[in-house]
Amino acid sequence: MENLHCVSEEKSFVTLSGVGITVSELEGRHQVLISKQDAGQRSKGFLKLLNECIVKIGNKSGSEITEKDILLLLEGDRRQILWELRQLSNPDDKEFVFDYEFPAA
């Protein structure tokens, strides 16, 4: 069986605080990282997910980016990165609307 290489799409943007970021799209294995019931494990999962999906922060790229660099980002910037990752990874759902109806008793 031949060795297949997947090419993931990338997106560059500037965070609200002015940091240039490039991310590559999410993969199925990332879902496991953030689906843990334990809050501590889930927190570590988000950090690992960001570490694997961020291609460039400012002038650092690839293996130069450490978890410390990610933790130095403002919380709002990390949330924006997660939002941008979701938009990049789900291109067919541009108009995402959260609609939840409370069940009638």
Side-chain angles (χ1 to χ4, degrees):
M1 188 169 188
E2 68 184 77
N3 192 4
L4 299 176
H5 294 283
C6 294
V7 177
S8 61
E9 192 173 338
E10 292 185 356
K11 179 179 183 177
S12 295
F13 59 95
V14 177
T15 65
L16 296 173
S17 69
V19 179
I21 301 284
T22 301
V23 293
S24 65
E25 63 186 323
L26 295 168
E27 297 176 5
R29 63 189 170 92
H30 293 125
Q31 182 66 36
V32 174
L33 296 173
I34 59 174
S35 298
K36 307 286 186 194
Q37 291 298 322
D38 179 87
Q41 289 295 321
R42 193 171 47 249
S43 179
K44 289 177 188 175
F46 275 111
L47 184 58
K48 185 171 182 179
L49 178 148
L50 289 173
N51 199 11
E52 291 181 5
C53 292
I54 294 176
V55 177
K56 187 173 182 184
I57 297 178
N59 58 0
K60 286 187 170 185
S61 61
S63 61
E64 294 177 313
I65 300 171
T66 64
E67 288 184 355
K68 184 178 179 182
D69 294 321
I70 295 167
L71 291 172
L72 287 173
L73 292 168
L74 297 176
E75 180 181 345
D77 287 349
R78 289 194 301 267
R79 288 180 184 205
Q80 181 185 1
I81 293 167
L82 290 169
W83 174 255
E84 296 289 349
L85 280 168
R86 187 222 176 265
Q87 294 296 98
L88 177 64
S89 301
N90 296 304
D92 296 334
D93 193 10
K94 297 278 187 207
E95 304 270 335
F96 175 75
V97 176
F98 180 75
D99 184 23
Y100 178 79
E101 293 181 26
F102 289 95

